Amino acid sequence: MKHKNGEIWEFENNVNNTTGGVEDAHSDGGVILGLDGGTTSTICICMRVLPFSSSSKLPDPIPILARAVAGCSNHNSVGEAAARDTLEQVMAETLVKAGAKRSAVRAVCLGVSGVNHPTDQERILNWLRDIFPSHVKLYVHNDAVAALASGTYGKLHGCVLIAGTGCIAYGFTEDGQEARAAGAGPVLGDWGSGYGISAQALTAVIRANDGRGPQTMLTNSILQSLGLSSPDELIGWTYADPSWARIATLVPLVVSCAEAGDQIANRILDDAVQELALDVKAVVERLGLSGPDGNGSFPVVMVGGVLEANKKWDIGKEVTACIQKTYPKASPIRPKVEPAVGAALLAWNSLMKETSKLS
Amino acid sequence: MKHKNGEIWEFENNVNNTTGGVEDAHSDGGVILGLDGGTTSTICICMRVLPFSSSSKLPDPIPILARAVAGCSNHNSVGEAAARDTLEQVMAETLVKAGAKRSAVRAVCLGVSGVNHPTDQERILNWLRDIFPSHVKLYVHNDAVAALASGTYGKLHGCVLIAGTGCIAYGFTEDGQEARAAGAGPVLGDWGSGYGISAQALTAVIRANDGRGPQTMLTNSILQSLGLSSPDELIGWTYADPSWARIATLVPLVVSCAEAGDQIANRILDDAVQELALDVKAVVERLGLSGPDGNGSFPVVMVGGVLEANKKWDIGKEVTACIQKTYPKASPIRPKVEPAVGAALLAWNSLMKETSKLS
């Protein structure tokens, strides 16, 4: 439990039980940290350990003690050192707010984007072991796994579909097999993502302007929204800052044009629906989630701005319909808690399993 | 003719006629500078002014006095100051090699990528006026225009299709109207480009691996060529350095797989052919190049690695066939000189016109 950033944890000297803090994991069950680390932001929550009962029924609302937010913790984006600093600081801040020391922590579960390989996982686990006491259970996953757990309340079963700036489908069988589809970024064809939808809308405007494609309402809608006077200026706008998130912000304009009857915008959204449903179907097939007769039930957790768009043209609803055409018993879930809470519930679920094995 | 980089031109003090140099534009007709400035490299050539005759017949080979090569001169890529330094240095180096002073120059024609707007043109012209004596005729165009002129020996008429890392179609009517299509980069859907073909091949590998698409020979071919052991590693490879040119290098692998009968690779190339032909058709339609009955003759100049691929699966040949289905009298040209020579011939052509007007 040595660490170079010792000063981050100095607050622990001032924490004691009389201030309402949670000092000892054994005195009252202790706490769990759940973390959702993405490319845009990192969210950490601290949850009191829930009593383990055979029914595993969860209290509503989940008893969150504290929550803290930080920036990017994807090591592919900011480098390993900066990603670790962000992770450590946001965990410490969460414990400060909860008035709890590391000795009160029973488990930590990190869902971090950019964790794509067992070696990524192992590196972060080794680093966490230096920060937390040896009794603390540590879990590291891709952030998609935390999103799945946010819909299943900590149970790793079913498939999650995330469609925000990017998109990915990630699934687990009850016996722990996993599979993913998409999540490979725009160069590698994540066309159902917010970026994918927006890039196709921009392309449609350029094609209409060149005379290579039909006219579309997207032209006026996008130019007006970006404050540009001609489609030629889109080239400069696009490459001045080609960040995926900036381009993905155009999705609501595509939805509005589609609702207004624009055929091009409708075709772009229809294609995105097919792509997103295909991401899920690929995972379901590889894991056999629908059972041997293809008629089994399994959860499909739907997360992200593209699927949440609460509009007449409801992308999430269309994706669900498309999935259920193939798997009638697929059971869509819109999570009521955020992925960081999903991560904490995942840790709680794992703790519970280990405890029941011991008893 | 003041300029901050005066030292670049100090060589002129050592040039005189007795060393075989060309000092005075009036003594022997003088010289022309032609420049092709791209994102990868910049090429400048110095040509002796050809005699103006009514037949305008060009000598073969074109009498090139000197040639120099430098790096990127696209101001969008390296900034305006660096782009100008590159342009000035490569022009000076060419004149050094030709043994000619600026006073011997009759005309300068720059075809520079990133020149997309009259204001871009005007800025570069103003800067050139400070470098060259006032008698020098100055011309600035997009680099596609120099490529067109390389196929038409300086005449601005017809359409050029360039397909290398990127792609663009650019055309002129005989009375000076111009139009372009594509050339907007990968985010904005230049799918017929080398980048576009390669990105679709990478996407096909990811889809096959996910179970979202059919198996393809591209998987083994690309992984082996990049020294990777699994398709998952393509994500890291792609985003470690997402430069367009690096990704575009995969085109020959796609062609090989298509020649070996791979259906996915064949479909990617078929789609690219349709896209590239559509770029040309859009320009031809907007300019009315095929005449009122659609049966007129016009040159289509074909330039760039994607079109030059001298393989059994010949993309350029297929594009030509596709264009000629719509315009039977479209006349394909593979230039015998490079675009920098095209730029020089363009300047020569313009000089000739101005001279014939005066006489």
Side-chain angles (χ1 to χ4, degrees):
Chain A
M1 200 166 128
K2 297 163 297 183
H3 203 256
K4 71 176 174 83
N5 290 328
E7 67 280 9
I8 291 183
W9 300 101
E10 273 169 11
F11 76 92
E12 294 184 328
N13 301 328
N14 305 316
V15 173
N16 62 55
N17 281 340
T18 61
T19 61
V22 186
E23 186 174 353
D24 180 4
H26 301 287
S27 69
D28 69 347
V31 298
I32 290 175
L33 287 178
L35 184 144
D36 169 36
T39 307
T40 314
S41 66
T42 301
I43 295 166
C44 185
I45 68 105
C46 179
M47 178 181 91
R48 204 178 283 279
V49 171
L50 305 169
F52 302 153
S53 70
S54 54
S55 72
S56 316
K57 204 150 165 71
L58 286 168
D60 183 16
I62 309 279
I64 309 298
L65 296 171
R67 179 178 190 270
V69 180
C72 173
S73 56
N74 182 329
H75 63 91
N76 289 330
S77 305
V78 293
E80 196 138 328
R84 286 179 178 184
D85 277 350
T86 300
L87 292 171
E88 185 169 0
Q89 278 175 17
V90 77
M91 290 190 292
E93 193 188 335
T94 309
L95 287 174
V96 169
K97 288 183 175 176
K101 295 185 184 184
R102 281 174 285 178
S103 57
V105 176
R106 292 287 305 279
V108 176
C109 178
L110 270 47
V112 195
S113 76
V115 172
N116 295 316
H117 208 266
T119 56
D120 298 327
Q121 227 167 357
E122 205 48 54
R123 273 204 318 275
I124 299 180
L125 279 171
N126 286 336
W127 166 77
L128 281 175
R129 276 193 223 299
D130 273 351
I131 296 179
F132 288 96
S134 58
H135 73 268
V136 180
K137 300 283 179 193
L138 303 172
Y139 309 96
V140 172
H141 296 282
N142 184 282
D143 57 341
V145 181
L148 173 61
S150 74
T152 59
Y153 289 99
K155 192 175 171 189
L156 283 191
H157 173 234
C159 185
V160 64
L161 175 65
I162 308 178
T165 295
C167 64
I168 188 171
Y170 210 111
F172 280 87
T173 60
E174 294 195 81
D175 59 0
Q177 288 179 69
E178 57 191 289
R180 63 180 269 180
V187 177
L188 302 174
D190 285 354
W191 293 117
S193 66
Y195 176 95
I197 291 169
S198 300
Q200 283 173 89
L202 289 168
T203 297
V205 173
I206 295 288
R207 293 179 87 93
N209 185 55
D210 279 358
R212 285 185 292 151
Q215 294 303 312
T216 161
M217 290 179 194
L218 289 165
T219 302
N220 281 336
S221 170
I222 290 176
L223 292 181
Q224 200 179 333
S225 160
L226 300 181
L228 302 177
S229 57
S230 104
D232 292 329
E233 295 174 23
L234 280 178
I235 303 176
W237 180 84
T238 302
Y239 298 103
D241 170 8
S243 88
W244 302 352
R246 174 166 164 272
I247 288 176
T249 57
L250 303 178
V251 172
L253 302 178
V254 185
V255 172
S256 297
C257 288
E259 289 180 351
D262 186 69
Q263 286 193 359
I264 298 288
N266 272 290
R267 205 178 61 207
I268 290 170
L269 294 186
D270 286 338
D271 288 349
V273 165
Q274 296 299 323
E275 285 284 311
L276 292 169
L278 185 59
D279 295 344
V280 172
K281 289 177 191 174
V283 167
V284 172
E285 286 305 308
R286 271 157 65 203
L287 295 177
L289 283 176
S290 61
D293 62 351
N295 210 18
S297 175
F298 58 94
V300 180
V301 178
M302 314 272 281
V303 175
V306 169
L307 302 174
E308 281 158 16
N310 191 17
K311 297 271 194 152
K312 211 169 66 184
W313 216 119
D314 185 331
I315 300 173
K317 203 174 107 186
E318 298 298 325
V319 171
T320 300
C322 191
I323 293 168
Q324 288 180 328
K325 246 184 236 168
T326 312
Y327 312 111
K329 298 261 179 70
S331 167
I333 297 172
R334 308 257 184 172
K336 291 190 186 67
V337 297
E338 63 183 341
V341 177
L345 292 172
L346 186 52
W348 171 71
N349 218 45
S350 303
L351 270 186
M352 200 168 62
K353 270 190 197 156
E354 292 184 25
T355 309
S356 66
K357 263 185 225 157
L358 293 174
S359 61
Chain B
M1 201 168 130
K2 297 162 299 181
H3 202 257
K4 71 176 173 79
N5 290 328
E7 67 279 11
I8 291 183
W9 300 101
E10 275 169 12
F11 76 91
E12 294 184 329
N13 301 328
N14 305 317
V15 173
N16 62 55
N17 281 341
T18 60
T19 61
V22 187
E23 186 175 354
D24 179 2
H26 301 286
S27 67
D28 68 345
V31 299
I32 291 176
L33 286 178
L35 183 144
D36 170 36
T39 306
T40 313
S41 68
T42 300
I43 294 166
C44 185
I45 68 103
C46 179
M47 178 180 92
R48 203 178 284 278
V49 172
L50 306 169
F52 302 151
S53 70
S54 55
S55 71
S56 317
K57 209 154 163 68
L58 287 168
D60 184 15
I62 309 277
I64 309 297
L65 296 171
R67 180 178 189 270
V69 180
C72 173
S73 57
N74 181 331
H75 63 91
N76 288 330
S77 305
V78 293
E80 196 139 328
R84 285 179 179 184
D85 278 351
T86 300
L87 292 171
E88 185 168 1
Q89 277 173 20
V90 77
M91 289 189 294
E93 193 189 335
T94 309
L95 287 175
V96 169
K97 287 183 175 176
K101 294 186 185 184
R102 282 173 286 178
S103 57
V105 176
R106 291 287 306 277
V108 176
C109 179
L110 269 49
V112 195
S113 76
V115 172
N116 295 315
H117 207 267
T119 56
D120 298 327
Q121 225 166 356
E122 204 47 54
R123 272 204 318 277
I124 299 179
L125 279 171
N126 286 335
W127 165 79
L128 281 175
R129 276 193 222 299
D130 273 353
I131 297 180
F132 288 95
S134 59
H135 74 269
V136 180
K137 300 283 179 193
L138 304 171
Y139 309 95
V140 172
H141 295 283
N142 184 283
D143 56 341
V145 179
L148 173 61
S150 74
T152 59
Y153 290 99
K155 192 174 170 190
L156 283 191
H157 173 233
C159 185
V160 64
L161 174 65
I162 308 177
T165 294
C167 65
I168 189 171
Y170 211 113
F172 280 86
T173 60
E174 294 195 79
D175 58 0
Q177 287 180 70
E178 55 190 291
R180 62 180 269 183
V187 177
L188 302 175
D190 285 354
W191 294 117
S193 65
Y195 175 95
I197 291 169
S198 301
Q200 283 173 89
L202 289 167
T203 297
V205 173
I206 295 288
R207 292 179 88 93
N209 185 53
D210 279 357
R212 286 184 290 152
Q215 294 303 312
T216 160
M217 290 179 193
L218 289 165
T219 301
N220 281 338
S221 168
I222 291 176
L223 291 181
Q224 200 180 335
S225 159
L226 301 180
L228 303 177
S229 57
S230 104
D232 292 328
E233 295 174 23
L234 280 179
I235 303 177
W237 180 84
T238 303
Y239 298 104
D241 170 8
S243 88
W244 303 351
R246 175 168 165 269
I247 290 179
T249 56
L250 303 176
V251 171
L253 302 177
V254 184
V255 172
S256 297
C257 289
E259 287 178 354
D262 186 69
Q263 286 194 357
I264 298 287
N266 272 290
R267 205 179 59 208
I268 290 170
L269 294 187
D270 286 338
D271 288 349
V273 166
Q274 295 299 322
E275 286 285 312
L276 292 169
L278 185 58
D279 295 344
V280 172
K281 289 177 190 175
V283 168
V284 173
E285 285 306 308
R286 272 157 65 205
L287 295 177
L289 284 176
S290 62
D293 62 350
N295 211 18
S297 175
F298 58 93
V300 180
V301 178
M302 315 272 281
V303 176
V306 168
L307 301 175
E308 282 158 14
N310 194 13
K311 298 272 195 151
K312 210 169 67 186
W313 215 121
D314 185 331
I315 300 174
K317 202 174 108 186
E318 298 298 326
V319 171
T320 299
C322 191
I323 293 168
Q324 288 180 327
K325 248 185 233 167
T326 312
Y327 312 112
K329 299 259 179 72
S331 167
I333 297 173
R334 310 254 184 176
K336 292 191 187 68
V337 296
E338 62 182 344
V341 177
L345 292 173
L346 185 53
W348 171 72
N349 219 45
S350 302
L351 270 186
M352 200 168 61
K353 270 188 197 161
E354 291 183 28
T355 309
S356 66
K357 264 184 222 157
L358 291 174
S359 61

